[in-house]
Every structure is written in structure tokens, then in C-alpha cells.
Amino acid sequence: DTGVSQNPRHKITKRGQNVTFRCDPISEHNRLYWYRQTLGQGPEFLTYFQNEAQLEKSRLLSDRFSAERPKGSFSTLEIQRTEQGDSAMYLCASTLQTGAFFGQGTRLTVV
Amino acid sequence: GDSVTQMEGPVTLSEEAFLTINCTYTATGYPSLFWYVQYPGEGLQLLLKATKADDKGSNKGFEATYRKETTSFHLEKGSVQVSDSAVYFCALSAGGGSNYKLTFGKGTLLTVNP
């Protein structure tokens, strides 16, 4: 499979716990984006990387959120001290000049 | 800031009907415009795009024309099929080039009945 891969696909966690999601982009894509999508809404931009450098972060990304892309390959998104409002689908996309290719997302449910 | 407004769904059509999903945008400069589609259980897929005024994007029988004067990018298809049932998202990117920091609309659920 040469598409964007996200793991896990589903995550249920208790409020206050930390969670980490992983995104494996298409191998030759140097830009990687994270988005969050809540029910009935379109995806909202969170942050993006060019290679290993995190170039922009949305105001939506509170200090409980951190993202990394070591070595410019896969990326992780960590949420510390999860809150119920963090429940959403977290989408990753990797891009070339021709377009953005999205993974299937990680659905987070905070209970 | 940048924003995208698309018609609220759900939209329910019979097979072979004509489809229009309206999309208007607000952005500074000259954004690129996109339609993405999300089939049940799958990730977002780029359906078509247009990068400058009067460009027409097309794919799989779907078309949309970048109208700067009306700040619109309406999606159309002449004859829908059951397999077109999905959620459709209009989006823009204001950064140009290979910048895919996208601003999305809320999505429109399309259901096509046989």
C-alpha cells in the first residue's frame, strides 16, 4: 500500500490520559499536515511539517498538543491530559505539487 | 480570515439526476480551490481543483469552474450514479503553489438512490 497510513484507526481513552497517534506519509512527500475533524464539520488545520521542520501551528493547537516528525519521515501527534472536547477524527495528509493525499484518520473518543 | 461556505445537506437524488453543490469562499489574494470527496469508511480524496480564475477542474464527470467575480466554485455533474454517494467538501488554499494548508467547508452529504 503506497498511501498515507495512520495508526491506530480508533482510540478510546479516559479523560486525563495521554494519547499518541502516528502518521506514515507517502515516501517521497516532503510536506505533512495534521487536521482535526469534528462531527458535522470540515477538517481544520492544526500544523504542518516540511521535512523535519514544523513550520506552522494553528491557534487550535493548545500547549497540550505536540507534533513531531523526526528525520522527516513519519510523524506523531501527542495529546496530553485529554479532555472530552478533544474527541474528533485526526487526519494526516502528505503532499506533493500535485495535491494532498489524506490518510483514513484516527478517531479519538475521550470518555 | 479565509472561509468556505457550501450548501448544507443532505442532498438526495435519483440516479441520472443533475447535481449542483454550491460553494462560495472568502480569501485574500488568489487562492487555489478544491473539491474533496469522502466515501463511507475511506479517507478524503481529491476530486478536482482549479488554481486560477476561469479555470475549470474536472474528474469522473464532475466539473467546477473558478469564478473570481462571484467567489464561487460550484460542483456539478450531469448524471449522478449510486456510487457517487459520499460527503463532498469544498476547500481553498491561500498559500499558492504546493501549500496545502486547506480551509474546508462543512461538507455536503450526497445520497443517490437507484
Side-chain angles (χ1 to χ4, degrees), chain A residues 21-71:
Chain A
F21 312 138
R22 177 177 169 126
C23 172
D24 287 273
I26 297 171
S27 60
E28 65 268 27
H29 290 189
N30 61 358
R31 288 194 179 189
L32 185 150
Y33 294 73
W34 285 99
Y35 289 82
R36 180 171 68 188
Q37 184 178 15
T38 53
L39 201 60
Q41 302 295 316
E44 296 173 295
F45 169 78
L46 292 179
T47 187
Y48 91 94
F49 294 82
Q50 174 144 341
N51 300 314
E52 66 274 12
Q54 187 173 18
L55 296 187
E56 187 173 348
K57 294 194 291 187
S58 163
R59 287 176 302 219
L60 293 174
L61 215 62
S62 77
D63 56 7
R64 295 184 299 105
F65 287 70
S66 63
E68 295 182 341
R69 193 183 181 197
K71 304 178 184 178

Side-chain angles (χ1 to χ4, degrees), chain A residues 33 35 42 56 97-99 104, chain B residues 41 49 89 98 100-102 105:
Chain A
Y33 294 73
Y35 289 82
E56 187 173 348
Q97 190 78 15
T98 51
Q104 291 183 288
Chain B
K49 69 177 184 181
F89 292 93
S98 59
Y100 286 96
K101 177 186 172 186
L102 297 165

Side-chain angles (χ1 to χ4, degrees), chain B:
Chain B
D2 300 337
S3 67
V4 174
T5 303
Q6 59 183 106
M7 65 184 285
E8 294 192 14
V11 174
T12 303
L13 296 173
S14 297
E15 206 164 23
E16 299 184 2
F18 184 85
L19 169 70
T20 299
I21 301 177
N22 290 338
C23 172
T24 58
Y25 67 89
T26 302
T28 54
Y30 301 95
S32 296
L33 301 174
F34 307 85
W35 278 99
Y36 280 84
V37 59
Q38 188 169 34
Y39 298 103
E42 298 185 17
L44 285 165
Q45 299 176 25
L46 177 63
L47 181 59
L48 54 84
K49 69 177 184 181
T51 58
K52 61 183 187 297
D54 300 324
D55 267 2
K56 177 185 284 188
S58 61
N59 186 25
K60 301 181 181 180
F62 291 89
E63 293 183 340
T65 301
Y66 189 145
R67 300 288 189 199
K68 185 172 181 295
E69 63 276 13
T70 54
T71 62
S72 65
F73 193 55
H74 305 320
L75 182 68
E76 296 183 337
K77 186 175 185 182
S79 177
V80 293
Q81 306 300 312
V82 172
S83 57
D84 294 326
S85 298
V87 181
Y88 292 81
F89 292 93
C90 184
L92 68 82
S93 169
S98 59
N99 185 336
Y100 286 96
K101 177 186 172 186
L102 297 165
T103 300
F104 285 87
K106 291 185 177 183
T108 302
L109 173 63
L110 170 66
T111 301
V112 180
N113 294 319

